[in-house]
mmCIF file of all heavy atoms in Angstrom:
data_model
loop_
_atom_site.group_PDB
_atom_site.id
_atom_site.type_symbol
_atom_site.label_atom_id
_atom_site.label_comp_id
_atom_site.label_asym_id
_atom_site.label_seq_id
_atom_site.Cartn_x
_atom_site.Cartn_y
_atom_site.Cartn_z
ATOM 1 N N GLY B 44 291.942 -16.307 44.440
ATOM 2 C CA GLY B 44 293.242 -16.819 44.155
ATOM 3 C C GLY B 44 293.752 -16.525 42.804
ATOM 4 O O GLY B 44 294.477 -17.271 42.183
ATOM 5 N N GLY B 45 293.283 -15.425 42.268
ATOM 6 C CA GLY B 45 293.764 -15.007 40.924
ATOM 7 C C GLY B 45 292.871 -15.470 39.792
ATOM 8 O O GLY B 45 293.126 -15.204 38.625
ATOM 9 N N PHE B 46 291.800 -16.178 40.130
ATOM 10 C CA PHE B 46 290.932 -16.685 39.080
ATOM 11 C C PHE B 46 289.493 -16.161 39.308
ATOM 12 O O PHE B 46 289.056 -16.001 40.456
ATOM 13 C CB PHE B 46 290.875 -18.209 39.067
ATOM 14 C CG PHE B 46 292.181 -18.865 38.938
ATOM 15 C CD1 PHE B 46 292.898 -19.264 40.018
ATOM 16 C CD2 PHE B 46 292.708 -18.997 37.653
ATOM 17 C CE1 PHE B 46 294.131 -19.837 39.827
ATOM 18 C CE2 PHE B 46 293.997 -19.529 37.495
ATOM 19 C CZ PHE B 46 294.698 -19.954 38.566
ATOM 20 N N SER B 47 288.791 -15.895 38.223
ATOM 21 C CA SER B 47 287.418 -15.468 38.405
ATOM 22 C C SER B 47 286.565 -16.667 38.619
ATOM 23 O O SER B 47 286.944 -17.816 38.360
ATOM 24 C CB SER B 47 286.935 -14.759 37.119
ATOM 25 O OG SER B 47 286.899 -15.663 36.049
ATOM 26 N N ARG B 48 285.315 -16.435 39.112
ATOM 27 C CA ARG B 48 284.444 -17.515 39.433
ATOM 28 C C ARG B 48 284.103 -18.302 38.132
ATOM 29 O O ARG B 48 284.002 -19.514 38.116
ATOM 30 C CB ARG B 48 283.145 -16.966 39.998
ATOM 31 C CG ARG B 48 282.433 -17.948 40.929
ATOM 32 C CD ARG B 48 281.232 -17.236 41.452
ATOM 33 N NE ARG B 48 280.048 -17.932 41.019
ATOM 34 C CZ ARG B 48 278.846 -17.362 40.959
ATOM 35 N NH1 ARG B 48 278.704 -16.131 41.332
ATOM 36 N NH2 ARG B 48 277.817 -18.057 40.555
ATOM 37 N N PHE B 49 283.981 -17.529 37.045
ATOM 38 C CA PHE B 49 283.711 -18.121 35.769
ATOM 39 C C PHE B 49 284.776 -19.122 35.379
ATOM 40 O O PHE B 49 284.558 -20.283 35.023
ATOM 41 C CB PHE B 49 283.621 -17.041 34.687
ATOM 42 C CG PHE B 49 283.416 -17.567 33.349
ATOM 43 C CD1 PHE B 49 282.190 -17.866 32.830
ATOM 44 C CD2 PHE B 49 284.535 -17.724 32.469
ATOM 45 C CE1 PHE B 49 282.009 -18.357 31.566
ATOM 46 C CE2 PHE B 49 284.381 -18.220 31.219
ATOM 47 C CZ PHE B 49 283.107 -18.495 30.727
ATOM 48 N N GLU B 50 286.023 -18.717 35.528
ATOM 49 C CA GLU B 50 287.137 -19.572 35.194
ATOM 50 C C GLU B 50 287.158 -20.868 36.062
ATOM 51 O O GLU B 50 287.355 -21.969 35.559
ATOM 52 C CB GLU B 50 288.500 -18.876 35.401
ATOM 53 C CG GLU B 50 288.827 -17.793 34.379
ATOM 54 C CD GLU B 50 290.049 -17.028 34.745
ATOM 55 O OE1 GLU B 50 290.073 -16.472 35.879
ATOM 56 O OE2 GLU B 50 290.983 -16.990 33.917
ATOM 57 N N ILE B 51 286.934 -20.642 37.316
ATOM 58 C CA ILE B 51 287.011 -21.818 38.258
ATOM 59 C C ILE B 51 285.917 -22.819 37.905
ATOM 60 O O ILE B 51 286.148 -24.000 37.824
ATOM 61 C CB ILE B 51 286.896 -21.292 39.718
ATOM 62 C CG1 ILE B 51 288.104 -20.432 40.050
ATOM 63 C CG2 ILE B 51 286.822 -22.496 40.616
ATOM 64 C CD1 ILE B 51 287.923 -19.644 41.285
ATOM 65 N N GLU B 52 284.674 -22.254 37.723
ATOM 66 C CA GLU B 52 283.564 -23.227 37.521
ATOM 67 C C GLU B 52 283.696 -23.860 36.109
ATOM 68 O O GLU B 52 283.316 -25.040 35.966
ATOM 69 C CB GLU B 52 282.263 -22.477 37.700
ATOM 70 C CG GLU B 52 282.076 -22.064 39.139
ATOM 71 C CD GLU B 52 280.729 -21.507 39.445
ATOM 72 O OE1 GLU B 52 279.898 -21.466 38.555
ATOM 73 O OE2 GLU B 52 280.552 -21.160 40.600
ATOM 74 N N LEU B 53 284.178 -23.139 35.159
ATOM 75 C CA LEU B 53 284.424 -23.725 33.853
ATOM 76 C C LEU B 53 285.407 -24.888 33.951
ATOM 77 O O LEU B 53 285.256 -25.969 33.392
ATOM 78 C CB LEU B 53 284.929 -22.656 32.881
ATOM 79 C CG LEU B 53 285.292 -23.222 31.467
ATOM 80 C CD1 LEU B 53 284.077 -23.790 30.780
ATOM 81 C CD2 LEU B 53 285.844 -22.083 30.622
ATOM 82 N N GLU B 54 286.488 -24.596 34.670
ATOM 83 C CA GLU B 54 287.506 -25.658 34.827
ATOM 84 C C GLU B 54 286.910 -26.870 35.509
ATOM 85 O O GLU B 54 287.118 -28.006 35.094
ATOM 86 C CB GLU B 54 288.703 -25.154 35.552
ATOM 87 C CG GLU B 54 289.816 -26.138 35.600
ATOM 88 C CD GLU B 54 290.832 -25.822 36.660
ATOM 89 O OE1 GLU B 54 291.360 -24.674 36.625
ATOM 90 O OE2 GLU B 54 291.164 -26.685 37.463
ATOM 91 N N PHE B 55 286.126 -26.627 36.562
ATOM 92 C CA PHE B 55 285.630 -27.755 37.334
ATOM 93 C C PHE B 55 284.689 -28.558 36.473
ATOM 94 O O PHE B 55 284.747 -29.763 36.434
ATOM 95 C CB PHE B 55 284.969 -27.263 38.618
ATOM 96 C CG PHE B 55 284.391 -28.388 39.434
ATOM 97 C CD1 PHE B 55 285.262 -29.292 40.024
ATOM 98 C CD2 PHE B 55 283.026 -28.552 39.507
ATOM 99 C CE1 PHE B 55 284.739 -30.326 40.773
ATOM 100 C CE2 PHE B 55 282.513 -29.586 40.250
ATOM 101 C CZ PHE B 55 283.342 -30.485 40.877
ATOM 102 N N VAL B 56 283.727 -27.880 35.818
ATOM 103 C CA VAL B 56 282.707 -28.610 35.046
ATOM 104 C C VAL B 56 283.377 -29.435 33.950
ATOM 105 O O VAL B 56 282.948 -30.513 33.582
ATOM 106 C CB VAL B 56 281.627 -27.663 34.555
ATOM 107 C CG1 VAL B 56 282.060 -26.979 33.295
ATOM 108 C CG2 VAL B 56 280.333 -28.480 34.328
ATOM 109 N N GLN B 57 284.478 -28.925 33.421
ATOM 110 C CA GLN B 57 285.149 -29.706 32.387
ATOM 111 C C GLN B 57 286.010 -30.846 32.930
ATOM 112 O O GLN B 57 286.188 -31.823 32.275
ATOM 113 C CB GLN B 57 286.045 -28.785 31.528
ATOM 114 C CG GLN B 57 285.177 -27.753 30.833
ATOM 115 C CD GLN B 57 285.833 -27.233 29.578
ATOM 116 O OE1 GLN B 57 285.550 -27.688 28.470
ATOM 117 N NE2 GLN B 57 286.765 -26.281 29.720
ATOM 118 N N SER B 58 286.435 -30.660 34.157
ATOM 119 C CA SER B 58 287.177 -31.709 34.799
ATOM 120 C C SER B 58 286.279 -32.914 35.001
ATOM 121 O O SER B 58 286.747 -34.039 34.986
ATOM 122 C CB SER B 58 287.716 -31.261 36.182
ATOM 123 O OG SER B 58 288.596 -30.187 35.994
ATOM 124 N N LEU B 59 284.986 -32.637 35.134
ATOM 125 C CA LEU B 59 284.004 -33.714 35.308
ATOM 126 C C LEU B 59 284.012 -34.637 34.044
ATOM 127 O O LEU B 59 283.520 -35.774 34.105
ATOM 128 C CB LEU B 59 282.614 -33.194 35.538
ATOM 129 C CG LEU B 59 282.463 -32.387 36.835
ATOM 130 C CD1 LEU B 59 281.000 -31.904 36.924
ATOM 131 C CD2 LEU B 59 282.775 -33.187 38.046
#
Side-chain angles (χ1 to χ4, degrees):
Chain B
F46 302 97
S47 67
R48 207 178 116 202
F49 175 85
E50 286 173 304
I51 295 166
E52 294 189 1
L53 175 61
E54 185 195 308
F55 179 68
V56 81
Q57 297 206 98
S58 301
L59 297 179

